[in-house]
Amino acid sequence: MTLLSRISGLVRDIALAYLFGASAAADLFFVAFRVPNFFRRLFAEGAFNQAFVPVLMEYKAKGQSELRLFLGQLSGVFALTLTLVVIGGLAFAGPLAALFAPGFIGQPRLFTQLTELVRITFPYLGFISLTAYAGALLNAHGRFALPALTPVMLNVCLTLAALLGLMGHLQTPPIVILAWSVLVAGILQCSIQLPSLARLHLLPKPVVSTSHPGMKQVGQMLVPAIFSASVGQINALVNTMIASTLATGSIAWLYYADRLLELPVGLIAVALGTVMLPHLSRLVTEEDQRGFLQTVNWGFGLGLMLGLPAAIALYLLAEPLLAFLYMSFAGSAMKAFDVEMSGQALQMFAIALPGFVLVKVLAPAFFAHQDTRTPFRFAVAAVVVNLIGSLATFQSLGHIGLALATALSAWTHAGLLYVGLQRRGWIRFDATVVFVLLRTVLACVGLAAGLVLGMVWLNGSEFTLQQWLALPGFDRGLRIILVCIVGLIGYALILLLLGVRPRHFLRAPQ
């Protein structure tokens, strides 16, 4: 389901690239869309889930009646808070636009447009936050498919809106149509999960009260979790703010690169983290230390086995992949220069990918123990690294420096989490993990050599972007798909020849 969600997201971004390219309109929409998304990931999907799920598993173990008492108060307070936040966002759309894109303040026409777009998209935050809350409840009860599939609704709505814009038959500007489609998607995403919650009897009457002891537990964990679970969003905000002061298209270049990165991040990091958190929380509740260590080891090994080759492929095939996705057919607003600029950013993001995977795998180990303060300190360090790196490089490297700072931040965050877990005895690699990781590194060397040779061989000469773009769109797509398939098969065969078997890393946590 996550794969389907990410593929539909790529289709959405291809449609947006054909509609906008890396124009000023693209920058406007991506900033307006980032505003509610930032708060959604900050509060709903990130911090709230990390503070909520461990407590939820605790009360779930106590029985249905205890769980419903807890959920009744939590849902009431959460809904009231979201209502107030949305009202505040509508009232302060202008300051929000200035915060997220200060470079537009000196351009009155663009800034006015941006403010209106923020006002249209911001209510999406309320609906998608309720969606994330519902998804956490379903995940805690072993229902992972529907929450993973729900984002498809957003991708479908935005794709249809982009297609309407490409047709050009409507009087309303395309970016306004897209903004309204974001709000419609939020309503749909929230609605489709309600029947499943009702069948599980997880829709108690909301009560605006904080008297339940579980509310105090969530409240104590929430503030540090807001920061520790949302480093990526804070770094993205910093990058957007700085990119708004750079050349036109910088925000779009970072967006297109980031969206391609999101495919492996979603399939590997987010999927693993989503599955691991309720499992780890249950194991902590049951005081099963051995099962806890096995689950962390399982996530670490599987995450790197999938994350490292994905990072290598994104780095080596950055420009061909972007050109294939965004310039394969006539009519695209993307230019060769845009592909080149996005490709350079994607290479830096590829360096960050294994770090992102490790963060998503390791952080749940702390949250499962209801420890959000330690990850909070690590998150502060990661954000400081990103800020220093961005300020030190953006003038000389432009948007590439911002992407490089993201990579430095990701690896800093992952390293600190690993050291913290090791000191507490919450991670301890066994022989199987070491066996798999050493052979994964060897297989990745072979994968890199195979991808480079494959691109040169298929292109008939030394690979250049200009030669690649000179190929017909269909031919270009066929070649990149062939290289990726051969690379994937080759990587798997190398692992098999080195003695790695599915039982070494596909053993699901119990």
Side-chain angles (χ1 to χ4, degrees):
M1 295 304 177
T2 303
L3 175 63
L4 180 59
S5 169
R6 297 297 169 169
I7 290 176
S8 65
L10 276 179
V11 173
R12 175 197 78 191
D13 293 325
I14 291 170
L16 293 176
Y18 274 72
L19 178 63
F20 291 134
S23 62
D27 286 350
L28 282 174
F29 175 73
F30 294 146
V31 171
F33 188 35
R34 185 176 293 280
V35 173
N37 258 329
F38 171 81
F39 288 105
R40 182 255 301 184
R41 293 188 176 182
L42 191 68
F43 296 115
E45 289 186 358
F48 184 77
N49 280 1
Q50 307 292 12
F52 165 54
V53 171
V55 181
L56 170 66
M57 297 302 294
E58 179 181 329
Y59 282 96
K60 180 174 179 285
K62 294 180 179 180
Q64 187 73 8
S65 59
E66 282 287 335
L67 178 62
R68 286 178 61 83
L69 286 174
F70 169 57
L71 293 179
Q73 290 194 15
L74 186 66
S75 59
V77 172
F78 189 43
L80 176 62
T81 303
L82 287 175
T83 301
L84 295 176
V85 169
V86 169
I87 292 173
L90 294 175
F92 295 98
L96 282 173
L99 173 65
F100 278 75
F104 289 163
I105 296 176
Q107 305 174 64
R109 185 181 64 83
L110 291 179
F111 186 76
T112 300
Q113 282 184 282
L114 177 59
T115 301
E116 289 304 311
L117 292 175
V118 170
R119 192 167 283 119
I120 295 171
T121 58
F122 198 82
Y124 169 77
L125 168 63
F127 292 105
I128 199 61
S129 297
L130 292 174
T131 301
Y133 171 64
L137 285 173
L138 292 173
N139 288 342
H141 287 76
R143 271 69 169 180
F144 295 98
L146 182 59
L149 183 64
T150 299
V152 173
M153 294 294 101
L154 172 66
N155 298 329
V156 169
C157 289
L158 283 174
T159 302
L160 292 176
L163 292 176
L164 287 174
L166 286 168
M167 292 168 61
H169 297 315
L170 300 177
Q171 298 297 321
T172 307
I175 53 174
V176 176
I177 298 173
L178 283 165
W180 282 109
S181 72
V182 170
L183 179 56
V184 171
I187 297 171
L188 291 175
Q189 287 176 288
C190 182
S191 301
I192 64 173
Q193 302 210 52
L194 295 180
S196 295
L197 291 178
R199 285 193 294 270
L200 292 171
H201 306 290
L202 295 175
L203 289 176
K205 181 181 178 181
V207 178
V208 181
S209 172
T210 58
S211 60
H212 195 282
M215 295 294 293
K216 183 178 180 180
Q217 288 178 265
V218 173
Q220 289 174 339
M221 297 170 61
L222 186 59
V223 174
I226 285 175
F227 202 88
S228 60
S230 307
V231 172
Q233 301 313 306
I234 296 172
N235 289 344
L237 170 60
V238 171
N239 289 350
T240 300
M241 293 170 65
I242 297 176
S244 71
T245 68
L246 300 175
T248 298
S250 295
I251 295 174
W253 297 330
L254 288 170
Y255 175 85
Y256 292 128
D258 177 71
R259 292 308 303 166
L260 199 53
L261 174 71
E262 282 294 317
L263 180 61
V265 167
L267 287 175
I268 303 168
V270 175
L272 276 174
T274 299
V275 171
M276 287 179 66
L277 180 57
H279 276 288
L280 291 175
S281 299
R282 175 178 58 82
L283 292 168
V284 169
T285 300
E286 297 172 355
E287 299 183 353
D288 185 354
Q289 181 65 17
R290 182 173 178 272
F292 185 91
L293 289 173
Q294 286 181 339
T295 302
V296 175
N297 285 353
W298 173 82
F300 189 97
L302 182 57
L304 284 186
M305 172 164 283
L306 300 175
L308 283 175
I312 290 171
L314 283 182
Y315 187 91
L316 295 176
L317 305 179
E319 291 181 352
L321 283 170
L322 288 164
F324 163 59
L325 291 172
Y326 300 134
M327 292 187 66
S328 289
F329 304 100
S332 174
M334 289 282 282
K335 308 300 180 188
F337 180 71
D338 298 327
V339 169
E340 183 180 356
M341 293 296 99
S342 298
Q344 291 171 353
L346 181 56
Q347 288 182 323
M348 297 300 102
F349 284 149
I351 296 174
L353 176 56
F356 286 140
V357 173
L358 291 181
V359 168
K360 290 293 186 181
V361 168
L362 299 179
F366 287 98
F367 297 128
H369 282 91
Q370 299 188 23
D371 177 5
T372 57
R373 297 184 182 276
T374 303
F376 168 77
R377 295 196 297 270
F378 297 158
V380 171
V383 169
V384 169
V385 167
N386 180 75
L387 182 60
I388 294 174
S390 297
L391 294 176
T393 59
F394 84 97
Q395 289 185 325
S396 57
L397 298 177
H399 71 292
I400 304 171
L402 303 181
L404 175 60
T406 300
L408 295 174
S409 175
W411 279 105
T412 300
H413 198 187
L416 290 173
L417 287 170
Y418 175 79
V419 171
L421 289 176
Q422 192 177 51
R423 287 177 176 175
R424 287 162 176 77
W426 293 346
I427 186 170
R428 188 167 56 247
F429 295 149
D430 53 25
T432 299
V433 176
V434 175
F435 171 88
V436 170
L437 290 182
L438 289 176
R439 283 154 179 78
T440 295
V441 172
L442 292 175
C444 284
V445 173
L447 172 67
L451 290 176
V452 172
L453 293 174
M455 288 300 297
V456 171
W457 175 67
L458 284 176
N459 208 43
S461 62
E462 183 179 354
F463 173 80
T464 65
L465 178 60
Q466 290 72 24
Q467 291 173 326
W468 185 251
L469 292 176
L471 295 172
F474 178 80
D475 193 17
R476 192 190 312 153
L478 187 61
R479 294 187 186 200
I480 193 65
I481 291 173
L482 180 61
V483 169
C484 290
I485 291 176
V486 171
L488 178 63
I489 295 174
Y491 176 72
L493 287 176
I494 293 174
L495 286 177
L496 289 173
L497 290 174
L498 292 173
V500 177
R501 298 294 181 267
R503 68 176 183 274
H504 292 135
F505 60 94
L506 289 181
R507 176 171 47 86
Q510 301 299 319

